[in-house]
């Protein structure tokens, strides 16, 4: 390892932000406890679809575009560039992915979707890195520009194609799905027994091995891949140093502009991949407005995950699961979540009492009692509340996680070349 790399270790933050890292057995124990809690709620509420194979499979498909957008935000912000333009880059990914996909096949569409998003990232890098424009202003402008550009392009591409229109593309050929025949059927039968914990575990595993698109596998592999590149390579160390202290990084010989450009272009490419996933895998067609704010939710998942790939994946899974509850079970499943939240607040109350934070414990107890009452006195929830559930979840998660957040120190701050010399 070179002297400059060793020196830069002092620039980058310590792993885990100074907190003790969770071991694999502890993570597995926490996951098992969480699944047991879901199983208990399922038995009490009778919402048997809560952890079914279809529910988990649907949640995974809904979580992937959010997770890819979040990964894009992670790359950019770790290099010190705030990327509010993720939504626009996803829109470009959906359009370019569908345009190439219906003509030359789905995998060509995936590649062009990545290129489309990367072009949006390149534009954002030029505006923010080279010309030092405010990152938020640039991102909002890209979001607006992407809507206008795709609408304009659709008028003389999709509108003239057979089966297309000015607001949607022709049907795109699907990417191959993976299903393990014997195992998938056995797990589905086991889940249908509705046993405590065992059926829920079968539903979760079954959802991961049933109708799994190859592109989903690629997307899942990008999470540990991002962690390895950014936290286990000298390239990643240099990139993260640009987001922590670019002046010090430049003084050690790092080309800060180059790493910021790379990070933001990769960020756009990942968001574009998320958009291509929506058009090719989720729906098989491009439709105007189909991103539905997933770029912003991906940004929220990244913040919830504290700018770390693992936490980001957890946040994306949470938002995807909530959205899947709305689409599959509607009021019944979302109603069951009231009971889950009430039990979780009881656990929060106990934890706060253990830490001798009595005011927080009283607040948690009061909220838990309110939710228990709401659950016991109703059989279903209004449709408006069900539709708003994913967005309410986003707000609650951000509010509850705000106190432990630690963004890169130079995230969003202006930087000019030569400051470190």
């Amino acid at each position: 390892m070179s002297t400059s790399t060793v020196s830069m270790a002092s620039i980058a933050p310590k792993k885990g932000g100074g907190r003790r890292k969770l071991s694999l057995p502890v993570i597995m124990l926490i996951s098992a406890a969480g699944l047991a809690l879901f199983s208990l709620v399922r038995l009490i509420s009778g919402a048997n679809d809560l952890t079914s194979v279809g529910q988990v499979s649907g949640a995974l498909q809904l979580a992937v575009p959010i997770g890819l957008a979040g990964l894009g935000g992670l790359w950019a912000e770790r290099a010190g560039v705030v990327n509010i333009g993720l939504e626009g880059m996803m829109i470009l990914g959906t359009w370019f992915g569908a345009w190439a996909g219906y003509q030359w096949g789905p995998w060509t569409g995936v590649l062009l979707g990545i290129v489309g998003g990367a072009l949006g990232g390149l534009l954002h890098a030029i505006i923010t890195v080279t010309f030092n424009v405010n990152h938020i202003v640039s991102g909002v402008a890209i979001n607006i520009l992407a809507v206008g550009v795709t609408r304009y392009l659709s008028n003389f591409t999709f509108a003239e194609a057979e089966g297309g229109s000015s607001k949607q593309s022709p049907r795109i050929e699907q990417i191959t799905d993976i299903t393990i025949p014997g195992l998938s059927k056995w797990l589905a039968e086991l889940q249908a027994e509705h046993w405590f914990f065992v059926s829920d575990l079968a539903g979760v595993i079954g959802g991961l091995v049933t109708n799994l698109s190859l592109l989903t596998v690629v997307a899942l592999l990008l999470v540990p891949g991002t962690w390895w590149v950014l936290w286990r390579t000298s390239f990643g160390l240099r990139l993260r140093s640009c987001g922590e202290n670019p002046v010090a990084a430049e003084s050690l010989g790092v080309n800060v502009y180059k790493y910021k450009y790379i990070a933001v272009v990769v960020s756009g490419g990942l968001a574009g991949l998320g958009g291509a996933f929506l058009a090719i895998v989720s729906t098989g067609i491009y439709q105007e407005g189909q991103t539905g704010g997933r770029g912003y939710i991906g940004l929220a998942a990244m913040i919830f995950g504290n700018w770390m790939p693992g936490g980001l994946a957890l946040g994306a899974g949470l938002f995807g699961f909530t959205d899947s509850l709305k689409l599959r079970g509607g009021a019944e499943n979302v109603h069951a979540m009231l009971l889950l939240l009430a039990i979780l607040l009881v656990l929060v109350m106990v934890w706060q009492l253990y830490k001798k934070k009595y005011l927080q414990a009283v607040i948690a107890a009061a909220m838990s009692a309110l939710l228990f009452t709401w659950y016991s006195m109703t059989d279903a929830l209004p449709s408006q509340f069900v539709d708003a559930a994913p967005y309410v979840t986003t707000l609650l998660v951000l509010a509850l996680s705000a106190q432990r957040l630690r963004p890169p120190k130079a995230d969003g701050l202006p930087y000019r070349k030569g400051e470190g010399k």
Side-chain angles (χ1 to χ4, degrees), residues 332-366:
E332 181 186 8
N333 281 341
V334 178
H335 183 251
M337 296 306 291
L338 292 177
L339 180 59
L340 177 65
L341 288 173
I343 296 173
L344 286 173
L345 284 169
V346 170
L347 297 177
V348 171
M349 179 195 69
V350 173
W351 177 249
Q352 296 296 346
L353 287 174
Y354 172 75
K355 296 175 68 177
K356 298 182 179 179
K357 295 183 178 180
Y358 300 112
L359 178 60
Q360 290 89 332
V362 169
I363 294 173

PDB file of all heavy atoms in Angstrom, residues 332-366:
ATOM      1  N   GLU A 332     -56.717  -5.211   4.278  1.00  0.00           N
ATOM      2  CA  GLU A 332     -56.515  -6.250   5.292  1.00  0.00           C
ATOM      3  C   GLU A 332     -55.060  -6.321   5.750  1.00  0.00           C
ATOM      4  O   GLU A 332     -54.784  -6.355   6.955  1.00  0.00           O
ATOM      5  CB  GLU A 332     -56.948  -7.611   4.750  1.00  0.00           C
ATOM      6  CG  GLU A 332     -56.774  -8.739   5.779  1.00  0.00           C
ATOM      7  CD  GLU A 332     -57.075 -10.098   5.188  1.00  0.00           C
ATOM      8  OE1 GLU A 332     -57.272 -10.187   3.965  1.00  0.00           O
ATOM      9  OE2 GLU A 332     -57.106 -11.072   5.955  1.00  0.00           O
ATOM     10  N   ASN A 333     -54.136  -6.337   4.795  1.00  0.00           N
ATOM     11  CA  ASN A 333     -52.723  -6.437   5.150  1.00  0.00           C
ATOM     12  C   ASN A 333     -52.218  -5.173   5.840  1.00  0.00           C
ATOM     13  O   ASN A 333     -51.451  -5.249   6.804  1.00  0.00           O
ATOM     14  CB  ASN A 333     -51.880  -6.702   3.897  1.00  0.00           C
ATOM     15  CG  ASN A 333     -51.943  -8.159   3.474  1.00  0.00           C
ATOM     16  OD1 ASN A 333     -52.302  -9.033   4.259  1.00  0.00           O
ATOM     17  ND2 ASN A 333     -51.616  -8.422   2.226  1.00  0.00           N
ATOM     18  N   VAL A 334     -52.618  -4.011   5.338  1.00  0.00           N
ATOM     19  CA  VAL A 334     -52.189  -2.764   5.964  1.00  0.00           C
ATOM     20  C   VAL A 334     -52.781  -2.639   7.357  1.00  0.00           C
ATOM     21  O   VAL A 334     -52.146  -2.129   8.277  1.00  0.00           O
ATOM     22  CB  VAL A 334     -52.567  -1.555   5.080  1.00  0.00           C
ATOM     23  CG1 VAL A 334     -52.168  -0.244   5.752  1.00  0.00           C
ATOM     24  CG2 VAL A 334     -51.886  -1.655   3.721  1.00  0.00           C
ATOM     25  N   HIS A 335     -54.016  -3.140   7.536  1.00  0.00           N
ATOM     26  CA  HIS A 335     -54.637  -3.141   8.870  1.00  0.00           C
ATOM     27  C   HIS A 335     -53.822  -3.991   9.840  1.00  0.00           C
ATOM     28  O   HIS A 335     -53.640  -3.633  11.006  1.00  0.00           O
ATOM     29  CB  HIS A 335     -56.074  -3.676   8.763  1.00  0.00           C
ATOM     30  CG  HIS A 335     -56.824  -3.647  10.046  1.00  0.00           C
ATOM     31  ND1 HIS A 335     -57.151  -4.788  10.751  1.00  0.00           N
ATOM     32  CD2 HIS A 335     -57.291  -2.605  10.784  1.00  0.00           C
ATOM     33  CE1 HIS A 335     -57.800  -4.464  11.847  1.00  0.00           C
ATOM     34  NE2 HIS A 335     -57.905  -3.145  11.902  1.00  0.00           N
ATOM     35  N   ALA A 336     -53.305  -5.129   9.366  1.00  0.00           N
ATOM     36  CA  ALA A 336     -52.477  -5.984  10.217  1.00  0.00           C
ATOM     37  C   ALA A 336     -51.200  -5.287  10.640  1.00  0.00           C
ATOM     38  O   ALA A 336     -50.654  -5.547  11.719  1.00  0.00           O
ATOM     39  CB  ALA A 336     -52.152  -7.284   9.485  1.00  0.00           C
ATOM     40  N   MET A 337     -50.714  -4.361   9.792  1.00  0.00           N
ATOM     41  CA  MET A 337     -49.493  -3.643  10.132  1.00  0.00           C
ATOM     42  C   MET A 337     -49.687  -2.706  11.323  1.00  0.00           C
ATOM     43  O   MET A 337     -48.727  -2.346  11.999  1.00  0.00           O
ATOM     44  CB  MET A 337     -49.001  -2.850   8.916  1.00  0.00           C
ATOM     45  CG  MET A 337     -48.596  -3.714   7.725  1.00  0.00           C
ATOM     46  SD  MET A 337     -47.368  -4.972   8.139  1.00  0.00           S
ATOM     47  CE  MET A 337     -45.945  -3.935   8.446  1.00  0.00           C
ATOM     48  N   LEU A 338     -50.942  -2.294  11.591  1.00  0.00           N
ATOM     49  CA  LEU A 338     -51.206  -1.498  12.794  1.00  0.00           C
ATOM     50  C   LEU A 338     -50.826  -2.289  14.041  1.00  0.00           C
ATOM     51  O   LEU A 338     -50.235  -1.756  14.982  1.00  0.00           O
ATOM     52  CB  LEU A 338     -52.681  -1.097  12.857  1.00  0.00           C
ATOM     53  CG  LEU A 338     -53.190  -0.101  11.818  1.00  0.00           C
ATOM     54  CD1 LEU A 338     -54.692   0.113  12.015  1.00  0.00           C
ATOM     55  CD2 LEU A 338     -52.446   1.217  11.930  1.00  0.00           C
ATOM     56  N   LEU A 339     -51.181  -3.582  14.029  1.00  0.00           N
ATOM     57  CA  LEU A 339     -50.836  -4.445  15.159  1.00  0.00           C
ATOM     58  C   LEU A 339     -49.330  -4.606  15.275  1.00  0.00           C
ATOM     59  O   LEU A 339     -48.770  -4.567  16.383  1.00  0.00           O
ATOM     60  CB  LEU A 339     -51.502  -5.810  14.992  1.00  0.00           C
ATOM     61  CG  LEU A 339     -51.243  -6.848  16.084  1.00  0.00           C
ATOM     62  CD1 LEU A 339     -51.702  -6.330  17.445  1.00  0.00           C
ATOM     63  CD2 LEU A 339     -51.927  -8.169  15.747  1.00  0.00           C
ATOM     64  N   LEU A 340     -48.658  -4.761  14.151  1.00  0.00           N
ATOM     65  CA  LEU A 340     -47.199  -4.890  14.163  1.00  0.00           C
ATOM     66  C   LEU A 340     -46.547  -3.633  14.736  1.00  0.00           C
ATOM     67  O   LEU A 340     -45.647  -3.718  15.584  1.00  0.00           O
ATOM     68  CB  LEU A 340     -46.691  -5.141  12.743  1.00  0.00           C
ATOM     69  CG  LEU A 340     -45.172  -5.222  12.569  1.00  0.00           C
ATOM     70  CD1 LEU A 340     -44.628  -6.422  13.313  1.00  0.00           C
ATOM     71  CD2 LEU A 340     -44.798  -5.292  11.095  1.00  0.00           C
ATOM     72  N   LEU A 341     -47.006  -2.463  14.307  1.00  0.00           N
ATOM     73  CA  LEU A 341     -46.450  -1.209  14.816  1.00  0.00           C
ATOM     74  C   LEU A 341     -46.703  -1.063  16.312  1.00  0.00           C
ATOM     75  O   LEU A 341     -45.839  -0.584  17.054  1.00  0.00           O
ATOM     76  CB  LEU A 341     -47.062  -0.026  14.055  1.00  0.00           C
ATOM     77  CG  LEU A 341     -46.605   0.175  12.618  1.00  0.00           C
ATOM     78  CD1 LEU A 341     -47.429   1.272  11.947  1.00  0.00           C
ATOM     79  CD2 LEU A 341     -45.123   0.521  12.564  1.00  0.00           C
ATOM     80  N   ALA A 342     -47.892  -1.478  16.765  1.00  0.00           N
ATOM     81  CA  ALA A 342     -48.209  -1.383  18.187  1.00  0.00           C
ATOM     82  C   ALA A 342     -47.270  -2.250  19.026  1.00  0.00           C
ATOM     83  O   ALA A 342     -46.773  -1.829  20.079  1.00  0.00           O
ATOM     84  CB  ALA A 342     -49.662  -1.796  18.420  1.00  0.00           C
ATOM     85  N   ILE A 343     -46.987  -3.469  18.551  1.00  0.00           N
ATOM     86  CA  ILE A 343     -46.072  -4.360  19.269  1.00  0.00           C
ATOM     87  C   ILE A 343     -44.657  -3.805  19.258  1.00  0.00           C
ATOM     88  O   ILE A 343     -43.941  -3.847  20.271  1.00  0.00           O
ATOM     89  CB  ILE A 343     -46.120  -5.774  18.654  1.00  0.00           C
ATOM     90  CG1 ILE A 343     -47.515  -6.383  18.833  1.00  0.00           C
ATOM     91  CG2 ILE A 343     -45.065  -6.669  19.296  1.00  0.00           C
ATOM     92  CD1 ILE A 343     -47.704  -7.704  18.108  1.00  0.00           C
ATOM     93  N   LEU A 344     -44.250  -3.266  18.107  1.00  0.00           N
ATOM     94  CA  LEU A 344     -42.913  -2.676  18.023  1.00  0.00           C
ATOM     95  C   LEU A 344     -42.764  -1.507  18.988  1.00  0.00           C
ATOM     96  O   LEU A 344     -41.712  -1.331  19.616  1.00  0.00           O
ATOM     97  CB  LEU A 344     -42.638  -2.209  16.594  1.00  0.00           C
ATOM     98  CG  LEU A 344     -42.350  -3.303  15.559  1.00  0.00           C
ATOM     99  CD1 LEU A 344     -42.264  -2.701  14.163  1.00  0.00           C
ATOM    100  CD2 LEU A 344     -41.054  -4.036  15.900  1.00  0.00           C
ATOM    101  N   LEU A 345     -43.816  -0.706  19.147  1.00  0.00           N
ATOM    102  CA  LEU A 345     -43.759   0.420  20.076  1.00  0.00           C
ATOM    103  C   LEU A 345     -43.682  -0.046  21.523  1.00  0.00           C
ATOM    104  O   LEU A 345     -43.074   0.629  22.362  1.00  0.00           O
ATOM    105  CB  LEU A 345     -44.970   1.329  19.868  1.00  0.00           C
ATOM    106  CG  LEU A 345     -44.901   2.234  18.626  1.00  0.00           C
ATOM    107  CD1 LEU A 345     -46.238   2.898  18.364  1.00  0.00           C
ATOM    108  CD2 LEU A 345     -43.815   3.291  18.805  1.00  0.00           C
ATOM    109  N   VAL A 346     -44.278  -1.193  21.823  1.00  0.00           N
ATOM    110  CA  VAL A 346     -44.123  -1.771  23.168  1.00  0.00           C
ATOM    111  C   VAL A 346     -42.654  -2.120  23.414  1.00  0.00           C
ATOM    112  O   VAL A 346     -42.109  -1.857  24.488  1.00  0.00           O
ATOM    113  CB  VAL A 346     -45.019  -3.019  23.326  1.00  0.00           C
ATOM    114  CG1 VAL A 346     -44.678  -3.758  24.620  1.00  0.00           C
ATOM    115  CG2 VAL A 346     -46.485  -2.624  23.326  1.00  0.00           C
ATOM    116  N   LEU A 347     -42.003  -2.699  22.399  1.00  0.00           N
ATOM    117  CA  LEU A 347     -40.583  -3.034  22.525  1.00  0.00           C
ATOM    118  C   LEU A 347     -39.740  -1.772  22.670  1.00  0.00           C
ATOM    119  O   LEU A 347     -38.774  -1.744  23.443  1.00  0.00           O
ATOM    120  CB  LEU A 347     -40.125  -3.840  21.305  1.00  0.00           C
ATOM    121  CG  LEU A 347     -40.809  -5.199  21.103  1.00  0.00           C
ATOM    122  CD1 LEU A 347     -40.319  -5.860  19.817  1.00  0.00           C
ATOM    123  CD2 LEU A 347     -40.541  -6.108  22.301  1.00  0.00           C
ATOM    124  N   VAL A 348     -40.109  -0.723  21.927  1.00  0.00           N
ATOM    125  CA  VAL A 348     -39.414   0.564  22.060  1.00  0.00           C
ATOM    126  C   VAL A 348     -39.571   1.113  23.470  1.00  0.00           C
ATOM    127  O   VAL A 348     -38.623   1.631  24.070  1.00  0.00           O
ATOM    128  CB  VAL A 348     -39.949   1.573  21.020  1.00  0.00           C
ATOM    129  CG1 VAL A 348     -39.406   2.975  21.296  1.00  0.00           C
ATOM    130  CG2 VAL A 348     -39.563   1.141  19.610  1.00  0.00           C
ATOM    131  N   MET A 349     -40.780   0.999  24.023  1.00  0.00           N
ATOM    132  CA  MET A 349     -41.037   1.474  25.387  1.00  0.00           C
ATOM    133  C   MET A 349     -40.143   0.747  26.393  1.00  0.00           C
ATOM    134  O   MET A 349     -39.528   1.373  27.270  1.00  0.00           O
ATOM    135  CB  MET A 349     -42.506   1.253  25.748  1.00  0.00           C
ATOM    136  CG  MET A 349     -42.882   1.685  27.166  1.00  0.00           C
ATOM    137  SD  MET A 349     -44.472   1.017  27.687  1.00  0.00           S
ATOM    138  CE  MET A 349     -44.089  -0.738  27.832  1.00  0.00           C
ATOM    139  N   VAL A 350     -40.053  -0.581  26.254  1.00  0.00           N
ATOM    140  CA  VAL A 350     -39.213  -1.365  27.167  1.00  0.00           C
ATOM    141  C   VAL A 350     -37.752  -0.937  27.047  1.00  0.00           C
ATOM    142  O   VAL A 350     -37.048  -0.787  28.053  1.00  0.00           O
ATOM    143  CB  VAL A 350     -39.369  -2.871  26.864  1.00  0.00           C
ATOM    144  CG1 VAL A 350     -38.366  -3.684  27.679  1.00  0.00           C
ATOM    145  CG2 VAL A 350     -40.785  -3.324  27.159  1.00  0.00           C
ATOM    146  N   TRP A 351     -37.293  -0.716  25.812  1.00  0.00           N
ATOM    147  CA  TRP A 351     -35.905  -0.308  25.590  1.00  0.00           C
ATOM    148  C   TRP A 351     -35.632   1.069  26.199  1.00  0.00           C
ATOM    149  O   TRP A 351     -34.589   1.294  26.805  1.00  0.00           O
ATOM    150  CB  TRP A 351     -35.606  -0.310  24.104  1.00  0.00           C
ATOM    151  CG  TRP A 351     -34.230   0.167  23.750  1.00  0.00           C
ATOM    152  CD1 TRP A 351     -33.909   1.317  23.110  1.00  0.00           C
ATOM    153  CD2 TRP A 351     -32.987  -0.484  24.033  1.00  0.00           C
ATOM    154  NE1 TRP A 351     -32.546   1.428  22.956  1.00  0.00           N
ATOM    155  CE2 TRP A 351     -31.948   0.331  23.517  1.00  0.00           C
ATOM    156  CE3 TRP A 351     -32.648  -1.681  24.660  1.00  0.00           C
ATOM    157  CZ2 TRP A 351     -30.606  -0.011  23.618  1.00  0.00           C
ATOM    158  CZ3 TRP A 351     -31.308  -2.026  24.752  1.00  0.00           C
ATOM    159  CH2 TRP A 351     -30.305  -1.204  24.253  1.00  0.00           C
ATOM    160  N   GLN A 352     -36.563   1.976  26.051  1.00  0.00           N
ATOM    161  CA  GLN A 352     -36.386   3.318  26.603  1.00  0.00           C
ATOM    162  C   GLN A 352     -36.404   3.295  28.131  1.00  0.00           C
ATOM    163  O   GLN A 352     -35.678   4.050  28.783  1.00  0.00           O
ATOM    164  CB  GLN A 352     -37.482   4.261  26.081  1.00  0.00           C
ATOM    165  CG  GLN A 352     -37.448   4.497  24.578  1.00  0.00           C
ATOM    166  CD  GLN A 352     -36.182   5.206  24.121  1.00  0.00           C
ATOM    167  OE1 GLN A 352     -35.432   5.756  24.910  1.00  0.00           O
ATOM    168  NE2 GLN A 352     -35.923   5.174  22.818  1.00  0.00           N
ATOM    169  N   LEU A 353     -37.220   2.419  28.708  1.00  0.00           N
ATOM    170  CA  LEU A 353     -37.213   2.264  30.167  1.00  0.00           C
ATOM    171  C   LEU A 353     -35.875   1.714  30.644  1.00  0.00           C
ATOM    172  O   LEU A 353     -35.342   2.129  31.678  1.00  0.00           O
ATOM    173  CB  LEU A 353     -38.357   1.346  30.599  1.00  0.00           C
ATOM    174  CG  LEU A 353     -39.773   1.931  30.536  1.00  0.00           C
ATOM    175  CD1 LEU A 353     -40.798   0.855  30.846  1.00  0.00           C
ATOM    176  CD2 LEU A 353     -39.913   3.110  31.501  1.00  0.00           C
ATOM    177  N   TYR A 354     -35.333   0.761  29.876  1.00  0.00           N
ATOM    178  CA  TYR A 354     -34.031   0.190  30.213  1.00  0.00           C
ATOM    179  C   TYR A 354     -32.946   1.261  30.184  1.00  0.00           C
ATOM    180  O   TYR A 354     -32.033   1.271  31.016  1.00  0.00           O
ATOM    181  CB  TYR A 354     -33.698  -0.934  29.234  1.00  0.00           C
ATOM    182  CG  TYR A 354     -32.289  -1.470  29.359  1.00  0.00           C
ATOM    183  CD1 TYR A 354     -31.923  -2.309  30.410  1.00  0.00           C
ATOM    184  CD2 TYR A 354     -31.314  -1.127  28.412  1.00  0.00           C
ATOM    185  CE1 TYR A 354     -30.629  -2.793  30.520  1.00  0.00           C
ATOM    186  CE2 TYR A 354     -30.021  -1.607  28.516  1.00  0.00           C
ATOM    187  CZ  TYR A 354     -29.686  -2.438  29.575  1.00  0.00           C
ATOM    188  OH  TYR A 354     -28.401  -2.907  29.691  1.00  0.00           O
ATOM    189  N   LYS A 355     -33.058   2.205  29.239  1.00  0.00           N
ATOM    190  CA  LYS A 355     -32.088   3.290  29.130  1.00  0.00           C
ATOM    191  C   LYS A 355     -32.431   4.478  30.031  1.00  0.00           C
ATOM    192  O   LYS A 355     -31.768   5.503  29.992  1.00  0.00           O
ATOM    193  CB  LYS A 355     -32.006   3.763  27.676  1.00  0.00           C
ATOM    194  CG  LYS A 355     -31.475   2.696  26.719  1.00  0.00           C
ATOM    195  CD  LYS A 355     -31.532   3.147  25.283  1.00  0.00           C
ATOM    196  CE  LYS A 355     -30.560   4.270  24.996  1.00  0.00           C
ATOM    197  NZ  LYS A 355     -30.551   4.665  23.572  1.00  0.00           N
ATOM    198  N   LYS A 356     -33.523   4.318  30.811  1.00  0.00           N
ATOM    199  CA  LYS A 356     -33.984   5.352  31.756  1.00  0.00           C
ATOM    200  C   LYS A 356     -34.371   6.652  31.057  1.00  0.00           C
ATOM    201  O   LYS A 356     -34.194   7.748  31.598  1.00  0.00           O
ATOM    202  CB  LYS A 356     -32.912   5.619  32.821  1.00  0.00           C
ATOM    203  CG  LYS A 356     -32.604   4.387  33.685  1.00  0.00           C
ATOM    204  CD  LYS A 356     -31.586   4.695  34.763  1.00  0.00           C
ATOM    205  CE  LYS A 356     -31.305   3.466  35.617  1.00  0.00           C
ATOM    206  NZ  LYS A 356     -30.296   3.716  36.672  1.00  0.00           N
ATOM    207  N   LYS A 357     -34.921   6.517  29.870  1.00  0.00           N
ATOM    208  CA  LYS A 357     -35.469   7.665  29.150  1.00  0.00           C
ATOM    209  C   LYS A 357     -36.990   7.602  29.293  1.00  0.00           C
ATOM    210  O   LYS A 357     -37.692   7.082  28.424  1.00  0.00           O
ATOM    211  CB  LYS A 357     -35.037   7.648  27.683  1.00  0.00           C
ATOM    212  CG  LYS A 357     -33.533   7.822  27.498  1.00  0.00           C
ATOM    213  CD  LYS A 357     -33.157   7.881  26.019  1.00  0.00           C
ATOM    214  CE  LYS A 357     -31.655   8.108  25.838  1.00  0.00           C
ATOM    215  NZ  LYS A 357     -31.268   8.164  24.403  1.00  0.00           N
ATOM    216  N   TYR A 358     -37.483   8.137  30.379  1.00  0.00           N
ATOM    217  CA  TYR A 358     -38.876   7.917  30.767  1.00  0.00           C
ATOM    218  C   TYR A 358     -39.859   8.680  29.887  1.00  0.00           C
ATOM    219  O   TYR A 358     -40.963   8.186  29.612  1.00  0.00           O
ATOM    220  CB  TYR A 358     -39.065   8.290  32.233  1.00  0.00           C
ATOM    221  CG  TYR A 358     -38.185   7.466  33.155  1.00  0.00           C
ATOM    222  CD1 TYR A 358     -37.123   8.045  33.863  1.00  0.00           C
ATOM    223  CD2 TYR A 358     -38.383   6.092  33.287  1.00  0.00           C
ATOM    224  CE1 TYR A 358     -36.308   7.283  34.683  1.00  0.00           C
ATOM    225  CE2 TYR A 358     -37.575   5.321  34.104  1.00  0.00           C
ATOM    226  CZ  TYR A 358     -36.531   5.928  34.796  1.00  0.00           C
ATOM    227  OH  TYR A 358     -35.714   5.164  35.611  1.00  0.00           O
ATOM    228  N   LEU A 359     -39.502   9.873  29.439  1.00  0.00           N
ATOM    229  CA  LEU A 359     -40.407  10.634  28.576  1.00  0.00           C
ATOM    230  C   LEU A 359     -40.639   9.897  27.260  1.00  0.00           C
ATOM    231  O   LEU A 359     -41.784   9.763  26.802  1.00  0.00           O
ATOM    232  CB  LEU A 359     -39.822  12.019  28.309  1.00  0.00           C
ATOM    233  CG  LEU A 359     -40.645  12.918  27.373  1.00  0.00           C
ATOM    234  CD1 LEU A 359     -42.037  13.156  27.943  1.00  0.00           C
ATOM    235  CD2 LEU A 359     -39.929  14.236  27.118  1.00  0.00           C
ATOM    236  N   GLN A 360     -39.543   9.407  26.644  1.00  0.00           N
ATOM    237  CA  GLN A 360     -39.678   8.666  25.386  1.00  0.00           C
ATOM    238  C   GLN A 360     -40.487   7.387  25.588  1.00  0.00           C
ATOM    239  O   GLN A 360     -41.260   6.994  24.715  1.00  0.00           O
ATOM    240  CB  GLN A 360     -38.299   8.329  24.817  1.00  0.00           C
ATOM    241  CG  GLN A 360     -37.523   9.528  24.298  1.00  0.00           C
ATOM    242  CD  GLN A 360     -36.678  10.195  25.373  1.00  0.00           C
ATOM    243  OE1 GLN A 360     -37.023  10.133  26.561  1.00  0.00           O
ATOM    244  NE2 GLN A 360     -35.602  10.838  24.965  1.00  0.00           N
ATOM    245  N   ALA A 361     -40.311   6.753  26.756  1.00  0.00           N
ATOM    246  CA  ALA A 361     -41.057   5.534  27.053  1.00  0.00           C
ATOM    247  C   ALA A 361     -42.554   5.818  27.157  1.00  0.00           C
ATOM    248  O   ALA A 361     -43.381   5.044  26.660  1.00  0.00           O
ATOM    249  CB  ALA A 361     -40.540   4.908  28.346  1.00  0.00           C
ATOM    250  N   VAL A 362     -42.905   6.917  27.798  1.00  0.00           N
ATOM    251  CA  VAL A 362     -44.322   7.287  27.939  1.00  0.00           C
ATOM    252  C   VAL A 362     -44.933   7.582  26.572  1.00  0.00           C
ATOM    253  O   VAL A 362     -46.060   7.161  26.276  1.00  0.00           O
ATOM    254  CB  VAL A 362     -44.465   8.515  28.876  1.00  0.00           C
ATOM    255  CG1 VAL A 362     -45.884   9.062  28.824  1.00  0.00           C
ATOM    256  CG2 VAL A 362     -44.096   8.136  30.300  1.00  0.00           C
ATOM    257  N   ILE A 363     -44.185   8.290  25.728  1.00  0.00           N
ATOM    258  CA  ILE A 363     -44.684   8.601  24.373  1.00  0.00           C
ATOM    259  C   ILE A 363     -44.904   7.325  23.574  1.00  0.00           C
ATOM    260  O   ILE A 363     -45.932   7.150  22.903  1.00  0.00           O
ATOM    261  CB  ILE A 363     -43.701   9.539  23.647  1.00  0.00           C
ATOM    262  CG1 ILE A 363     -43.658  10.904  24.338  1.00  0.00           C
ATOM    263  CG2 ILE A 363     -44.093   9.697  22.177  1.00  0.00           C
ATOM    264  CD1 ILE A 363     -42.598  11.834  23.790  1.00  0.00           C
ATOM    265  N   ALA A 364     -43.936   6.394  23.652  1.00  0.00           N
ATOM    266  CA  ALA A 364     -44.069   5.119  22.940  1.00  0.00           C
ATOM    267  C   ALA A 364     -45.262   4.327  23.450  1.00  0.00           C
ATOM    268  O   ALA A 364     -46.012   3.726  22.666  1.00  0.00           O
ATOM    269  CB  ALA A 364     -42.786   4.306  23.093  1.00  0.00           C
ATOM    270  N   ALA A 365     -45.473   4.330  24.778  1.00  0.00           N
ATOM    271  CA  ALA A 365     -46.603   3.610  25.361  1.00  0.00           C
ATOM    272  C   ALA A 365     -47.929   4.209  24.906  1.00  0.00           C
ATOM    273  O   ALA A 365     -48.882   3.477  24.583  1.00  0.00           O
ATOM    274  CB  ALA A 365     -46.502   3.643  26.894  1.00  0.00           C
ATOM    275  N   ALA A 366     -48.000   5.537  24.871  1.00  0.00           N
ATOM    276  CA  ALA A 366     -49.234   6.200  24.453  1.00  0.00           C
ATOM    277  C   ALA A 366     -49.545   5.897  22.985  1.00  0.00           C
ATOM    278  O   ALA A 366     -50.696   5.596  22.633  1.00  0.00           O
ATOM    279  CB  ALA A 366     -49.105   7.707  24.667  1.00  0.00           C
TER     280      ALA A 366
END
